[in-house]
Amino acid sequence: MTSRFVDRAIIHLAAGNGGNGCASVHREKFKPLGGPDGGNGGSGGDVRLVVDHSVHTLLDFHFRPHAKGGNGKPGQGGNRNGAAGDSLELKVPEGTVVLTPDGEVLADLVGAGTTFVAAEGGRGGLGNAALASRARKAPGFALLGEEGQARDLVLELRSVADVGLVGFPSAGKSSLISVLSAAKPKIADYPFTTLVPNLGVITAGDTVFTMADVPGLIPGASQGKGLGLDFLRHIERCAVLVHVVDCATFEPDRDPVSDVDALEDELARYTPALGDDLAQRPRVVVLNKMDVPDAAELAEMVRPEFEARGLRVFEVSTATRQGLRELTFALGEIVEKYRSEQPAPTATKIVLTPRAVDDAGFTVEPDPEEPGGFIVRGARPERWIRQTDFGNDEAVGYLGDRLNRLGVEDALARHGAEPGSTVTIGDYTFDWEPSTPAGVAIHLSGRGTDSRLERGDRVSAAERKEARRVRRDGPQESSGAGSEVDGGPSSGVEPPESGELSEPGADGARE
C-alpha cells in the first residue's frame, strides 16, 4: 500500500501578469480637446502559501506541482482601470519550510494563518491619462504590464513536536507512542515498519505536549543510508530527544551503549537547515522491553554508564506499561522548562532601510561578450525596459527621458560610451545615441512619434503618398518654362478648349 504522507515537494509557481495600460483620447460632441482618458492596467495576482491546521501533508503538491495566479485586465478608455488578477492561496501544513532549489531557506511557516508571498504578481501598466504632464499633455502611448514572477521552490515539512523519539529499527518507538497517546501507528515485528513520522498528543498533569515517532535510524543515516536522511529533519524543532533502546535484541554485535553512541554520531553529522544545534538539546534514554527477563538484566548493567554521562534513564515496557507514568511526567517537566527558557514572542518589526547616498539605483559595467559595449543593471531601468512598447516612437522617447533623468546617460559617458555603442538593459540590446540633457524642454511632435527618433533618411508620410500617386498615375509632366501672361509666370491651369466657355467665378470674371 502506497503511503499518503509526503513531506517534500517541488512546486513550480507563476504569478499573474499585469494588464497593459490604455492609450485613449476623450471624444465627445461639443467638447474639443477632451484630453487623454486611458486607464491603468490591473496588477497580476500573487501566489501565497498559507498555513492551515486542517492540512497535514504535502500530498496535493506532489500530484499538482504547478500553480499560477490570475492575470490583470488591461485598462480601457474613459479612465476605466483594469481589474486586478485573482491571487492564489495554497494551503500548507504547519512546520513547512520554503527553500530555493539551491537550499536557501526563504521562510519557516509556523502558526495558523502565517502567509508567505511565494510569487509576486506583475505591476499593471499606466494609461496615458496617468502619463500626462505639463510638457506632454496628450501622450500617444501607454506602459505595458509587467510579467509575474515565476520561480521553482522546494517545500519541506518539519514536524512541530516537543519530543522526538529516535532509535534503531524495531526498538519499540511506535509501540511507545501508541500507549502514551491516541496515535495508531503501524506496528509489526520486522524492521522499518514505520515509513512516515507519526505524531501524538500527550498530557502530563497540566502540561500538554506532542511527540514525534521518527522512522528507524541506522549508521550512515546522515549520509543518506536507510530512511534517516529523509526524516531527520522532523526532529529539528524538538525540545527533547528520547533514545529508545532495545534491550532484548538478538543481534550479537549490538548493545544499548553502542546503539546510543551510533545515533549520537549520526545526529552530530546532521546539519539542520534551520540553523539550530541538536547537540544542545536535552537527552533522555529509555530502556525498552523490560518485560523480557534478559532485558532487565542488561538494563541493570548499562544504567550506571548512562547516568555517569549525565543522562536520565527510564526502564519501561509498553506491554506491561511499566515506568510509563514516570517517563510521561519527566518529559512534561523537561518540555515545560524548555518553553520557559524561550524568549517571549514579539510582534514583527517593520524595518525601513533608507537608500544609500551614493546609490544611483543602477550600475554600468563593460559587456564581456561585446567589445565596446556596456551592460546597465538595476531594478528600475530593467522594469522600465519591460514596460516600454518599442513599436511606438513616443514611448521610446519617454523611456530615454526616464533613463536620462536617472543618470544612465551620464554614467555611460563617464565609462567611455560613444554614440553607436552597444548598450544592454535587461533583455534588450540597442545602439546608444545621446539625447538632450535632462530638464531641457521636450519638442513634441505628433501623437505616437518623437522628433528625436526621426532621421533624414526616413521616408515621411507625404513622401509615401507622393510615391503611391506616381505608381498609380505616372510622373507628372513638366510644362516647361511656361508663358508669361500679364507679366507673370504660367499658373499651370490649361486654357479651355475652343468652343468651351468657362463658368463665371471659376477663373475670375471676364470683362
Side-chain angles (χ1 to χ4, degrees):
M1 179 178 178
T2 303
S3 171
R4 309 298 290 178
F5 182 87
V6 176
D7 64 348
R8 191 178 189 275
I10 299 177
I11 57 177
H12 313 280
L13 307 179
N17 301 328
N20 298 334
C22 176
S24 173
V25 175
H26 182 72
R27 291 179 176 86
E28 186 177 350
K29 190 176 182 180
F30 304 124
K31 286 188 178 181
L33 304 178
D37 65 348
N40 303 331
S43 300
D46 301 332
V47 179
R48 304 188 182 99
L49 302 179
V50 183
V51 175
D52 190 338
H53 281 314
S54 63
V55 181
H56 304 286
T57 178
L58 301 176
L59 182 66
D60 291 342
F61 301 105
H62 178 73
F63 291 107
R64 291 183 291 273
H66 297 272
K68 189 179 188 309
N71 295 331
K73 302 298 181 181
Q76 303 180 27
N79 294 310
R80 290 174 293 176
N81 297 332
D86 295 331
S87 296
L88 182 62
E89 290 190 352
L90 305 178
K91 297 181 180 180
V92 297
E94 184 178 12
T96 301
V97 179
V98 185
L99 305 96
T100 63
D102 298 332
E104 179 185 358
V105 178
L106 299 179
D108 184 11
L109 305 180
V110 179
T114 303
T115 303
F116 171 69
V117 180
E120 188 174 356
R123 299 183 182 181
L126 297 179
N128 63 342
L131 297 174
S133 63
R134 182 174 58 181
R136 186 181 280 106
K137 296 185 178 180
F141 69 98
L143 298 184
L144 304 178
E146 294 185 68
E147 293 185 356
Q149 186 180 15
R151 63 197 309 187
D152 297 336
L153 297 177
V154 178
L155 302 182
E156 289 186 354
L157 177 59
R158 290 174 169 83
S159 301
V160 182
D162 299 306
V163 179
L165 303 180
V166 294
F168 274 71
S170 299
K173 301 182 298 297
S174 299
S175 300
L176 182 60
I177 195 175
S178 66
V179 297
L180 293 179
S181 68
K184 301 299 179 184
K186 181 180 179 181
I187 300 175
D189 57 351
Y190 54 84
F192 293 110
T193 305
T194 303
L195 299 179
V196 298
N198 297 298
L199 292 179
V201 180
I202 302 174
T203 302
D206 296 333
T207 304
V208 179
F209 59 93
T210 56
M211 177 179 290
D213 169 25
V214 180
L217 305 178
I218 61 175
S222 59
Q223 280 74 39
K225 294 184 179 180
L227 300 176
L229 186 63
D230 293 334
F231 298 106
L232 274 174
R233 58 174 170 265
H234 289 280
I235 64 175
E236 292 185 18
R237 305 181 193 272
C238 295
V240 56
L241 299 180
V242 177
H243 286 287
V244 181
V245 182
D246 182 5
C247 290
T249 179
F250 295 102
E251 299 181 23
D253 57 341
R254 285 180 52 191
D255 63 84
V257 177
S258 61
D259 286 357
V260 172
D261 292 340
L263 294 178
E264 286 293 339
D265 183 65
E266 294 303 320
L267 295 176
R269 294 174 182 270
Y270 177 70
T271 302
L274 298 181
D276 296 334
D277 188 5
L278 295 179
Q280 304 300 325
R281 308 290 175 82
R283 262 68 162 174
V284 171
V285 176
V286 173
L287 303 179
N288 196 13
K289 303 182 181 180
M290 289 296 103
D291 53 296
V292 180
D294 294 340
E297 296 178 2
L298 182 60
E300 293 180 1
M301 297 173 55
V302 299
R303 183 185 184 99
E305 184 169 352
F306 285 127
E307 292 178 344
R309 299 182 183 183
L311 300 176
R312 300 180 64 177
V313 182
F314 294 89
E315 300 177 6
V316 302
S317 171
T318 56
T320 63
R321 298 181 179 268
Q322 171 188 345
L324 295 183
R325 180 176 176 83
E326 293 80 0
L327 174 63
T328 300
F329 280 90
L331 294 178
E333 178 185 351
I334 298 176
V335 170
E336 195 67 30
K337 180 180 178 182
Y338 177 82
R339 292 173 179 174
S340 63
E341 294 176 351
Q342 299 304 308
T346 58
T348 303
K349 297 181 179 179
I350 300 176
V351 180
L352 300 179
T353 304
R355 193 181 68 178
V357 177
D358 56 349
D359 183 11
F362 67 93
T363 59
V364 178
E365 57 188 45
D367 191 344
E369 299 180 358
E370 183 69 25
F374 298 89
I375 299 178
V376 179
R377 304 184 189 276
R380 288 203 289 177
E382 293 176 2
R383 184 176 73 246
W384 294 345
I385 286 288
R386 295 191 298 266
Q387 291 179 328
T388 301
D389 179 11
F390 286 92
N392 187 303
D393 289 347
E394 190 177 0
V396 177
Y398 178 71
L399 171 64
D401 295 335
R402 301 177 83 179
L403 295 176
N404 196 7
R405 287 193 297 269
L406 187 61
V408 173
E409 291 196 357
D410 294 339
L412 288 172
R414 288 194 302 269
H415 283 74
E418 299 178 354
S421 298
T422 302
V423 177
T424 301
I425 304 178
D427 297 331
Y428 289 86
T429 301
F430 51 89
D431 296 334
W432 179 60
E433 292 292 341
S435 63
T436 59
V440 177
I442 303 174
H443 300 283
L444 299 181
S445 55
R447 295 182 67 248
T449 63
D450 193 291
S451 60
R452 292 168 293 179
L453 300 181
E454 297 178 358
R455 300 288 186 267
D457 55 351
R458 297 182 63 180
V459 180
S460 64
E463 292 173 342
R464 291 196 298 269
K465 183 177 180 181
E466 178 63 20
R468 287 196 299 269
R469 189 200 65 77
V470 171
R471 290 195 300 269
R472 183 179 67 251
D473 301 335
Q476 183 177 4
E477 297 181 358
S478 176
S479 58
S483 59
E484 297 183 358
V485 180
D486 296 334
S490 174
S491 61
V493 180
E494 298 181 359
E497 298 180 359
S498 60
E500 183 180 5
L501 300 178
S502 58
E503 297 180 0
D507 294 329
R510 294 188 179 183
E511 297 180 359

